[in-house]
Every structure is written in C-alpha cells, then in structure tokens.
Amino acid sequence: MNYKIWEPRIKLISLFIGMIILSGMRDIFYLGFGFFLIFIFALIHEVDYRTYMRRIFHMMPFFIFLLLPLSLRGGQGFEIEGLMFGLGIVIKACTGILAIMIIVSGQEEAIFWSSLRKLKVPAKLITIIFLTTRYLVLFKEKLNNFRKAVYSRQFQSGFTYKTFKTYGELSGAFIVKGFDQSEKLYKALWSRGFNGEMPIFKTSEIKILDLVKGFFIVGVCLILWFADKW
C-alpha cells in the first residue's frame, strides 16, 4: 500500500476544509499543533522543503512588518498579546502555504485540473486559472532573460535619468512583446478548435486510505478548533 498516493479530489477537499477550520483559531499552541499535522503530511508526500523555505523567506518582510506594529500597538511599549496575535497569523500563513504545496504535489498537472472539473468547478474558471499560472511562469522566465540581457551589456541600476529611461524602454518592449504573444496564443488555440474547456483526463479511484486521510485531517482540525474555543 503506497501511503504517498492521495486521490486529488479528497486531498483538495479535506485540506481546504482543514485550512478553513484552522483559520478560525487563535491559540498559538493549537495552531502550532495544526501546523505540525500538515507538516507530517508534507513529509509523507515528499514536498520539496527547499521550495517551501524559499517561499517562506520571500514572505519574511511581510511577517516582520506585520509583527512590529502588532507587538508595539499604540506606541505604548511591547505588548505580548499583540505579538501572540501576529504569530498566529504567521503560523496560519505558513500552514496554508504548506497545504497548497501538498495539494499541487504528487500528481500530474493535467490530473489536478481534471479533478477540479469532476468537483463541478466551472470549466471556464479552470481554464483561466491554468492559463494564468502557466503564463506567470513564462512571464518570470522572460523577465529574467531581459534582466540578464541588460546586465550583460554593463547596465548599472540606479535613480538617474538614464536608468529610468532604460527602465521605460524595457517596460514598453515587454508590454508589446506580451501583447504579441497573447495574440499568437489566441490564434493557436482558435486554430485547434479550443472552446474554452480543458479536456478531462481519467483520475484514480477513491480508495479507503484516501478517505481515512481526509477524515483524519478534518477530524483533528475540528478537535483543535473545539479545544481552542473552550
């Protein structure tokens, strides 16, 4: 029995419900326990911890600017209640990022989108999300290519008229190139008879182990929620 395989529909529903339950909690101890639970599932499903730490590192400025005003509320000195409240938000954010990584890992991308269709998510919405995520990645790659091309020509960043002129030229070229790529994409999809709906691929059958995992996560989160409220 392979414990790493989790049916995408059950995984999505159970983690989504679990995150909603955890978002309504305030106690640091129970939130930490919830994070530990999701972390164990992330280890089972072999989530790339380097990618996770990199995403948390990118969120660090937000966390710092969140904690400072909450812990120094009103400028009257340090407040432990404000700090605990801010730490709770940070733990929820870290848990949510980890849950999303579990949801999208462990299966092919096409299977994930097909699972959303079988959950009766509107086909047009799935297509919009798919194209957005796909071309955000391409946008980042093109941006890095622009950046490498500029710095290879000994460009030096700064706050001078020359640098702002270069930034403007690059932004204009990037927008024009993006518009041209979108036109090519539209014509390519139209020529292939694309009607706005992605094809549905066969997903795996729901097994007892999938249900056990789902009920376990939701059940533990509910226990933590009741313990937090009492």
Side-chain angles (χ1 to χ4, degrees):
M1 186 176 294
N2 193 345
Y3 294 95
K4 299 178 183 178
I5 299 177
W6 195 359
E7 207 282 326
R9 289 169 290 178
I10 301 299
K11 177 168 61 173
L12 176 61
I13 294 174
S14 57
L15 287 174
F16 181 73
I17 295 175
M19 289 304 98
I20 291 178
I21 296 172
L22 291 178
S23 65
M25 296 165 50
R26 296 177 62 91
D27 191 280
I28 296 295
F29 174 77
Y30 297 118
L31 286 173
F33 193 91
F35 173 80
F36 179 74
L37 170 67
I38 302 299
F39 181 76
I40 294 299
F41 272 82
L43 292 179
I44 294 175
H45 293 276
E46 297 181 346
V47 171
D48 188 0
Y49 69 92
R50 293 186 181 88
T51 302
Y52 175 70
M53 294 305 299
R54 186 162 55 249
R55 292 176 179 174
I56 295 299
F57 178 77
H58 291 159
M59 294 287 291
M60 285 303 295
F62 168 76
F63 293 154
I64 293 173
F65 284 109
L66 174 70
L67 291 174
L68 284 178
L70 288 175
S71 58
L72 302 174
R73 190 180 304 174
Q76 301 297 324
F78 179 77
E79 290 189 7
I80 188 65
E81 294 83 3
L83 178 62
M84 292 296 102
F85 180 75
L87 285 176
I89 297 176
V90 171
I91 294 174
K92 292 176 186 178
C94 294
T95 307
I97 294 172
L98 194 57
I100 292 174
M101 294 184 66
I102 296 175
I103 290 173
V104 300
S105 66
Q107 74 271 332
E108 297 180 1
E109 188 177 1
I111 300 298
F112 174 73
W113 300 119
S114 298
S115 300
L116 291 180
R117 284 287 288 118
K118 292 189 176 182
L119 289 174
K120 306 304 179 182
V121 178
K124 298 291 192 301
L125 178 60
I126 295 176
T127 302
I128 292 172
I129 297 174
F130 166 72
L131 292 176
T132 301
T133 54
R134 172 59 181 162
Y135 284 94
L136 279 177
V137 175
L138 293 179
F139 174 80
K140 183 178 179 181
E141 292 178 357
K142 292 292 183 181
L143 193 61
N144 287 332
N145 292 337
F146 267 81
R147 182 173 175 273
K148 292 177 181 178
V150 169
Y151 282 100
S152 66
R153 292 166 174 80
Q154 299 181 348
F155 172 76
Q156 294 182 351
S157 59
F159 292 92
T160 63
Y161 172 77
K162 185 177 180 179
T163 55
F164 278 110
K165 181 181 178 182
T166 304
Y167 290 147
E169 292 174 351
L170 288 174
S171 299
F174 203 76
I175 292 173
V176 172
K177 191 175 182 62
F179 181 78
D180 182 59
Q181 291 291 335
S182 65
E183 286 292 317
K184 291 180 179 179
L185 172 65
Y186 170 76
K187 291 178 181 179
L189 292 174
W190 180 79
S191 64
R192 290 166 174 80
F194 183 67
N195 61 355
E197 298 185 9
M198 297 180 60
I200 299 178
F201 295 88
K202 183 179 179 181
T203 57
S204 57
E205 296 181 357
I206 298 177
K207 300 179 181 179
I208 298 298
L209 181 60
D210 301 321
L211 295 174
V212 170
K213 289 181 180 179
F215 282 118
F216 178 76
I217 283 187
V218 175
V220 173
C221 289
L222 282 174
I223 291 173
L224 293 175
W225 187 82
F226 282 114
D228 177 74
K229 298 304 177 183
W230 288 347

